[in-house]
Each structure stands twice: as C-alpha cells, then as structure tokens.
Amino acid sequence: MRTTRPGRNGALTVEAAGCVLWRRSPVTGDLELCLVHRPKYDDWSWPKGKLKRGEDALAGALREVAEETGYTAVPAAELPSTRYLAHGRPKRVRYWAAEAVSGTFTPNDEVDRILWLPPDAARRHLTSPMDAGLVDALLPTLRPAP
C-alpha cells in the first residue's frame, strides 16, 4: 500500500522520502555524495521511494537508502522537499541528509549502479535539475572534515 494524502487539486498526493547520502572518501577524506542509477527510467537521482501505508517518512527514507544502495545511514537535518507531478498525480518527496556508515552496494532490479561523487560533479550528474538544489541545501548541514 502507498501513503497518499489529498492535494490542492483534490488528487491524492503520493508521499515519498529519501536521503542525500554522503560519506568521506576512504582514500582522500573528501566529501562524496551517492547517486543511484535507475534502469527503468535511465536516470541518476538520490535514493528515494514511496512510503508504505502509515510509515514514518524518516524511517521510509532510511529503508529506501538501504534497499537501493546497501548502506546503513545515520540521518541528520531534514532538507527541502521536492514536489512534482508523477504520472499525472502530485508527488512530494521529503529528504534528509544522511551519512553512510556501513554497507556494500549490490545491483538489483531498481538500482543497477551507484556513484560516489564530489558535490560539484554530483550536481552536474543528476538527471533532474530539481534534485541539484539539494546539494546546496546539504553542504551547510555537514560538519567540517577532521
């Protein structure tokens, strides 16, 4: 079951959640952001997905990160939500900054590749320009590298 709520035009809004997943490079210590490639849409985006009925948005965001990337994440600040039409229905995606703390990616039906990129490269690589703004929202929430 999906989580929905009435939108402004009466159509049910699809509720989804995800994370801007980040880590410090194991080689250089520089900030890297995780993008996922969804073969169904042939796009690069943040790990995200629809919420299950009654599911807490943050719990759903962390579940989606684990399912799509194989990583366990520690959430921090909530970032701006995005809103758009998906298949003619309004959709809202809530996002959180989240640090990847452990895990290994294994390709699956939903996500066949992930990339860890520096912020500027991630911004350019995202398919949707709407997603790029989350890079700028994330950066002030992060602690400086040690």
Side-chain angles (χ1 to χ4, degrees), residues 10-93:
L12 291 179
T13 297
V14 176
E15 296 290 332
C19 293
V20 177
L21 188 64
W22 66 273
R23 71 177 184 187
R24 296 286 172 189
S25 166
V27 176
T28 65
D30 293 339
L31 177 64
E32 295 179 328
L33 308 181
C34 182
L35 304 185
V36 298
H37 181 260
R38 302 179 304 168
K40 179 178 178 180
Y41 303 105
D42 190 24
D43 70 350
W44 288 95
S45 66
W46 307 116
K48 65 182 180 298
K50 295 178 187 87
L51 297 176
K52 296 177 181 179
R53 183 178 299 278
E55 184 176 32
D56 173 76
L58 178 55
L62 295 173
R63 174 184 54 77
E64 287 292 337
V65 164
E67 289 175 3
E68 293 187 356
T69 70
Y71 282 85
T72 300
V74 175
E78 185 169 3
L79 302 173
S81 297
T82 59
R83 294 175 184 271
Y84 54 94
L85 286 179
H87 308 291
R89 290 180 58 191
K91 184 173 186 175
R92 176 176 77 149
V93 185

Side-chain angles (χ1 to χ4, degrees), residues 49-145:
K50 295 178 187 87
L51 297 176
K52 296 177 181 179
R53 183 178 299 278
E55 184 176 32
D56 173 76
L58 178 55
L62 295 173
R63 174 184 54 77
E64 287 292 337
V65 164
E67 289 175 3
E68 293 187 356
T69 70
Y71 282 85
T72 300
V74 175
E78 185 169 3
L79 302 173
S81 297
T82 59
R83 294 175 184 271
Y84 54 94
L85 286 179
H87 308 291
R89 290 180 58 191
K91 184 173 186 175
R92 176 176 77 149
V93 185
R94 291 177 65 187
Y95 286 99
W96 281 264
E99 182 178 9
V101 292
S102 64
T104 304
F105 175 70
T106 302
N108 57 65
D109 291 340
E110 283 187 67
V111 175
D112 62 350
R113 290 180 281 163
I114 67 170
L115 287 176
W116 289 99
L117 297 171
D120 286 341
R123 186 184 290 109
R124 290 189 304 272
H125 207 79
L126 287 158
T127 301
S128 171
M130 179 177 21
D131 287 342
L134 289 167
V135 174
D136 296 323
L138 170 75
L139 296 177
T141 71
L142 301 179
R143 65 187 186 285

